Each structure stands twice: as C-alpha cells, then as structure tokens.
Amino acid sequence: MLAELSPALIAEVHDAAKLLASKQRICLLTGAGISAESGIPTFRDKQTGLWENHRAEDLATPEAFACDPALVWSWYQWRRQLVADKKPNPAHKALAYWQHHAKANHQQLTLITQNVDDLHEQAGSTVVHLHGNLARNRCSQCQTPYTSASNHSKDSEALDNSDVDRQDAETLITCSHCGGYIRPDIVWFGESLPVQAWQTAEEAAADCEVFISIGTSSLVYPAAGLAQLAKRNGAKVIEINPNPTPNTTVDMIIKEKAGIIMPVLVKQITGS
Ligand code: APR
C-alpha cells in the first residue's frame, strides 16, 4: 500500500505515526469527507439531479422546514435513499480497527463525527454523533421520537432503519401525540447540539494529546472549535484533507484522501 503514496506523503504519514506513538489520549473528528469515498457527496459538493438547484445549507434549517416542510422532508427521503446502500470505505475500517486496538491497549481513542450516516458503526466503531442520525425521526413540535408502526416491536437501541426503507414516502407524516410534522432527527443550522454528545466531545478534545481532523471543511461551529479547544490545552493537531481548510490550529497537514492515508497510518501505529 505504501507504494501508492509519493515519497513526500510517506514521510508525512511517518511523522504523524511518530507523533501518535505512545500517546494515551487521542481524539478524532470526522466530517463528510470521510464518507466521500463511499459515494456520499459532501455538503459543499454541488447537488445533482433533482436537487441541483438547491443548496444543502438552505434546506438543512428549521426555517426551511417551517416554510416548506414537504420540500425538506422529500430532500431527506432522497438523501436516505442515497446512503441506504453505501458501505464503509478503507478509512472507516482503519479507524474501527485502530479503536479496537487502542481499547485492548488501554488507550483512549474518542471518535466524534459530524456525519449523520452510520458508516462508522457499520465498520465497527463506537462513535459520538454531534449532528444527529439520518435513520431517526422525531416530532418537530413535541420532540417525541417517531417510530413507524412496523418498527415498534424492534429493539429500541437498534438503528431505526424502517423509516429509511420508506423511500417512496415523500408525503409528510404527522405525530400521533400532537399532530406536528415528523422531521429527521438531525441538527440543522442554528440548532443546538445534543447535550450529552457535545459534553463528551468537549471533554475528549480538552483532554487529548493529539487531535485529528479528518474530512471536514472546519467551517461549521461548534464542531470546528474542538480543534482549537484541543490546541489550547496543549494537544498537537493533525488534519487529513485533500483540500485546504480555514483550520489554523494544525501542526501537521496530510493533503490526501482519508481512504488512502488512514489504512497506512493505522498500520504504522498498530504494527498490523
Ligand atoms: N478524504 C478526506 N477529506 C475529503 C475527501 C476525502 N476523500 N473528500 C472530500 N474531503 C473534504 C473536503 O475537502 C472538505 O473539506 O471533506 C470536507 C467536506 O466538507 P463539508 O462538505 O463542509 O462537510 P463537513 O465539514 O462535514 O460539514 C460540517 O456542515 O452542512 C453541515 O451539518 C452538516 O455535518 C455537516 C457540517
């Protein structure tokens, strides 16, 4: 695999592995870029097909849902269809392997994601979701979680995929408690992050020795502030992204796709 990398990239991965060697507390933040190689477009990619005239930033807001709930709901149904058959790529798999290896060696490796897909879980990782979960729904008024009738008998901890299966259900669903419209259980622009997830993320970032930012544009706060928090508390910051970002805290940038870098980096760190 090393043969696929340029000598400069090999040296950078080597330096990153050296920086990570013997560290006990590592915090990773992933964004849409880590799922790009699985075929899920990032947020800043221009939308295609039916949705080419809409910007994700304009649809993923409480204002957009209030103004045209059917439009926003059908965009999410389309997005659910888009991710339904997507599989973890080598970056997700390498991270899951590293997390298991770290646990066995009593190291703390906290994986935080801004993504609403479940590719980290599919790969076998334990992950903190800052921006919610595409597979879940709740009432936009009374906040009651929505579970479709066919899913009531299932384990409530399991990913509620039955709603995702309702690909053709573009019509709005209403809440049986209050009549409000059902919405995806996702954090939209301007909304607060889930309290427990954010607290876990802040603690891990503040306490880590190395913070790794993978596949995120570092544009959306508060998630983008985690690297700054880590840096202020003495951590080294590594960024893995083929494109530049406004993240000014970085000590080391590896400008390449996550699916290419992560398997090599994890192999060097774990020795397997
Ligand atoms: N490997 C690593 N990085 C990649 C790859 C790849 N294969 N492909 C693209 N990228 C990078 C892009 O260069 C970009 O910097 O991934 C980043 C994706 O940026 P965004 O689309 O802005 O995604 P993200 O940072 O996760 O967005 C944050 O914004 O829209 C909201 O809530 C939404 O969680 C999302 C948040």
Side-chain angles (χ1 to χ4, degrees):
M1 205 177 304
L2 270 181
E4 290 172 21
L5 302 186
S6 68
L9 275 176
I10 292 173
E12 283 170 16
V13 172
H14 210 75
D15 287 348
K18 233 160 70 185
L19 189 69
L20 285 155
S22 73
K23 296 293 188 295
Q24 292 303 307
R25 299 180 311 282
I26 296 153
C27 181
L28 296 115
L29 174 68
T30 66
I34 199 165
S35 296
E37 289 159 85
S38 294
I40 302 176
T42 70
F43 280 89
R44 312 304 139 186
D45 284 341
K46 190 169 168 16
Q47 300 208 94
T48 53
L50 276 179
W51 296 96
E52 66 185 349
N53 294 323
H54 296 269
R55 291 167 68 234
E57 296 94 316
D58 296 336
L59 292 165
T61 70
E63 293 79 18
F65 190 72
C67 175
D68 193 343
L71 178 80
V72 174
W73 179 253
S74 75
W75 181 58
Y76 276 100
Q77 293 297 81
W78 172 79
R79 289 193 62 205
R80 286 168 167 160
Q81 199 165 6
L82 193 77
V83 308
D85 62 347
K86 299 300 183 284
K87 297 283 171 244
N89 65 51
H92 297 105
K93 291 179 187 167
L95 276 174
Y97 180 78
W98 187 13
Q99 207 176 32
H100 285 290
H101 184 274
K103 195 172 175 191
N105 288 285
H106 309 291
Q107 293 168 307
Q108 192 180 305
L109 196 152
T110 309
L111 178 57
I112 304 160
T113 191
Q114 297 166 90
N115 297 345
V116 295
D117 64 52
D118 69 346
L119 297 187
H120 281 305
E121 286 94 334
Q122 280 192 44
S125 280
T126 302
V127 61
V128 178
H129 279 274
L130 289 183
H131 291 170
N133 189 321
L134 192 56
R136 300 205 175 153
N137 290 301
R138 63 178 160 87
C139 175
S140 59
Q141 276 181 26
C142 70
Q143 315 307 329
T144 304
Y146 172 80
T147 309
S148 67
S150 62
N151 212 34
H152 278 309
S153 57
K154 293 185 191 165
D155 176 0
S156 59
E157 288 299 309
L159 262 189
D160 181 1
N161 279 317
S162 63
D163 298 330
V164 181
D165 294 339
R166 304 170 87 258
Q167 310 295 1
D168 299 325
E170 298 227 337
T171 44
L172 286 162
I173 303 167
T174 49
C175 174
S176 58
H177 301 278
C178 73
Y181 288 130
I182 298 301
R183 57 164 279 180
D185 193 8
I186 282 174
V187 179
W188 286 334
F189 287 104
E191 294 185 321
S192 304
L193 269 53
V195 173
Q196 183 60 56
W198 180 244
Q199 192 181 329
T200 305
E202 268 195 320
E203 283 171 10
D207 189 44
C208 70
E209 294 161 279
V210 182
F211 184 94
I212 312 182
S213 176
I214 307 173
T216 172
S217 56
S218 297
L219 288 170
V220 176
Y221 282 78
L226 290 171
Q228 291 153 20
L229 176 62
K231 183 81 177 178
R232 276 199 306 278
N233 283 275
K236 294 287 182 196
V237 178
I238 301 175
E239 179 173 274
I240 298 169
N241 194 321
N243 300 304
T245 76
N247 185 354
T248 53
T249 64
V250 288
D251 296 287
M252 188 181 290
I253 303 177
I254 304 183
K255 274 195 161 198
E256 184 48 277
K257 291 179 178 172
I260 292 177
I261 296 301
M262 289 315 295
V264 186
L265 179 62
V266 170
K267 196 167 180 202
Q268 291 211 5
I269 295 163
T270 61
S272 51

